[in-house]
Amino acid sequence: MVRNDILLESGTNELEIVEFIVGNNKFGINVMKVKEIIQPLPVTNVPHAHPFVEGIIELRGEVLPVVNVARALGYDEMERTEKDKLIVTEFNKLKVVFRVHAVTQIHRVSWSQIEKPSDMYQGMETQITGVVKMHDEMILLLDFERIVIDIHPESAIQKEKLKHDVKDARSDKKLIAAEDSPLLRRLLRETLTEAGFKQIEFFENGQEVIDYLNGLKDQGKEAAEEVDLIITDIEMPQMDGLHLTKRIKETPEWESIPVIVFSSLITDDLKHKGQQVGVDAQVSKPEIHILVEKIDELLFDTE
């Protein structure tokens, strides 16, 4: 099963999710992260590998790590069956293979149908990015980036790559950032503050950004004068970053505000989706140093 570009139009606030089974739970992954789904291949064990990592496989000349999702979620080891599948993914500029117990179907849903997990949940709250209610059942969207960061911390935002030349002018610029992950919001705040940006407003999804911009209008303020630049993730409950960008660029009083997409989904295969909705720049997580460079280009190189 190879991923097809099912969503031909960008900015519709919809996504395709691959539903898969681990234990007795139904989980989901964004199709945009999935390269293909294959039958299990022989896995070569690697000494002293992380407990979540089964080993490595060779796929079309590439050596890729295989992550056991059941282990990552704390499930008891289950006997492997003929239904086991390997989901080959690409995000954060990494290719990683995930073993699951079965792959069932693909759903097309709106981000507005996806609810943010409650802080009251126990156990897996940090590994779930959203909950989709489907036909009296619930599909849990797994935070695959978090699993990879647990295994490979270097794949998180690397502050040490930032250049240490802090521009005084950065402190005068008002940034807005839409990011649903509390971990990444904290890392973004820390790194952008270290780079000299002092005025940063964070929101958990695109809808909150739209509400904020409309609120400025209601106060008689010009959003383009109050906001210098918007940074947005793509995958967010309620409203994703591509639809947010589309809304901004189609609104005359907002269209001049630069928008940077900062997402794990920025790959050569997917960049066209951002271009279709008019983003001003696209940066792949975890390259925070490139994000700062792009912010500077958009804010200062045009002055």
Side-chain angles (χ1 to χ4, degrees):
M1 179 177 179
V2 179
R3 187 196 74 208
N4 293 314
D5 195 5
I6 304 169
L7 290 176
L8 298 178
E9 186 180 350
S10 296
T12 61
N13 207 39
E14 294 176 302
L15 77 156
E16 301 275 348
I17 56 173
V18 176
E19 178 189 307
F20 62 90
I21 307 293
V22 177
N24 295 317
N25 278 77
K26 292 185 175 182
F27 296 95
I29 180 173
N30 192 335
V31 165
M32 292 172 72
K33 288 189 172 82
V34 179
K35 300 293 288 182
E36 58 183 312
I37 298 168
I38 61 175
Q39 298 292 342
L41 299 174
V43 176
T44 301
N45 293 325
V46 178
H48 308 298
H50 189 281
F52 298 169
V53 177
E54 289 185 11
I56 54 177
I57 62 170
E58 182 181 353
L59 184 64
R60 299 187 185 89
E62 289 187 283
V63 176
L64 303 175
V66 178
V67 174
N68 188 304
V69 176
R71 289 183 199 167
L73 297 180
Y75 284 83
D76 293 332
E77 286 285 340
M78 296 180 64
E79 186 175 334
R80 293 179 185 172
T81 72
E82 59 187 25
K83 292 184 178 180
D84 276 19
K85 291 289 187 290
L86 298 182
I87 302 178
V88 183
T89 68
E90 183 176 11
F91 55 88
N92 278 3
K93 297 211 163 185
L94 295 171
K95 287 185 180 178
V96 182
V97 180
F98 294 90
R99 181 189 293 275
V100 300
H101 295 149
V103 172
T104 48
Q105 56 190 311
I106 294 178
H107 302 282
R108 182 171 183 166
V109 299
S110 168
W111 281 105
S112 62
Q113 293 174 247
I114 299 173
E115 295 186 11
K116 178 190 172 187
S118 167
D119 293 337
M120 290 293 291
Y121 298 170
Q122 297 296 314
M124 291 190 298
E125 73 275 14
T126 58
Q127 293 168 310
I128 299 171
T129 60
V131 179
V132 189
K133 290 181 281 191
M134 299 281 297
H135 313 301
D136 298 324
E137 294 185 305
M138 287 189 288
I139 300 173
L140 307 178
L141 295 184
L142 272 191
D143 190 345
F144 284 87
E145 286 92 338
R146 182 61 183 260
I147 292 173
V148 170
I149 288 171
D150 287 343
I151 296 168
H152 182 56
E154 291 77 12
S155 64
I157 289 174
Q158 299 294 298
K159 291 191 289 185
E160 62 270 15
K161 290 186 179 180
L162 277 174
K163 294 180 181 178
H164 294 290
D165 55 326
V166 177
K167 294 184 179 180
D168 292 336
R170 288 174 180 163
S171 64
D172 297 329
K173 299 298 183 180
K174 173 68 179 291
L175 307 183
I176 280 181
E179 169 60 65
D180 66 318
S181 164
L183 171 66
L184 287 172
R185 281 201 302 274
R186 178 175 60 80
L187 289 172
L188 264 176
R189 184 181 295 279
E190 289 175 358
T191 50
L192 291 174
T193 300
E194 286 184 20
F197 294 102
K198 305 300 183 186
Q199 303 180 63
I200 314 166
E201 189 94 27
F202 279 88
F203 300 95
E204 294 187 6
N205 58 64
Q207 184 60 55
E208 290 186 358
V209 174
I210 294 295
D211 292 344
Y212 175 79
L213 296 176
N214 280 324
L216 292 174
K217 183 177 180 180
D218 293 341
Q219 297 171 38
K221 298 178 180 178
E222 293 286 341
E225 295 178 3
E226 300 292 326
V227 178
D228 291 296
L229 184 138
I230 296 171
I231 303 163
T232 181
D233 190 13
I234 290 180
E235 298 180 287
M236 296 178 291
Q238 299 306 309
M239 184 186 292
D240 74 352
L242 295 177
H243 187 65
L244 168 64
T245 304
K246 187 170 185 281
R247 291 278 299 273
I248 290 169
K249 295 303 181 181
E250 289 179 348
T251 304
E253 58 263 41
W254 301 343
E255 63 179 348
S256 63
I257 303 173
V259 178
I260 300 179
V261 170
F262 184 52
S263 169
S264 63
L265 295 175
I266 304 304
T267 64
D268 290 340
D269 291 340
L270 297 174
K271 275 190 175 179
H272 70 282
K273 291 185 175 292
Q275 293 165 353
Q276 287 173 357
V277 295
V279 300
D280 295 278
Q282 301 184 72
V283 180
S284 174
K285 294 176 182 174
E287 296 178 326
I288 188 75
H289 58 294
I290 296 179
L291 175 63
V292 173
E293 291 172 8
K294 292 296 182 182
I295 294 172
D296 283 348
E297 287 176 15
L298 291 168
L299 292 184
F300 303 114
D301 290 359
T302 57
E303 291 184 352

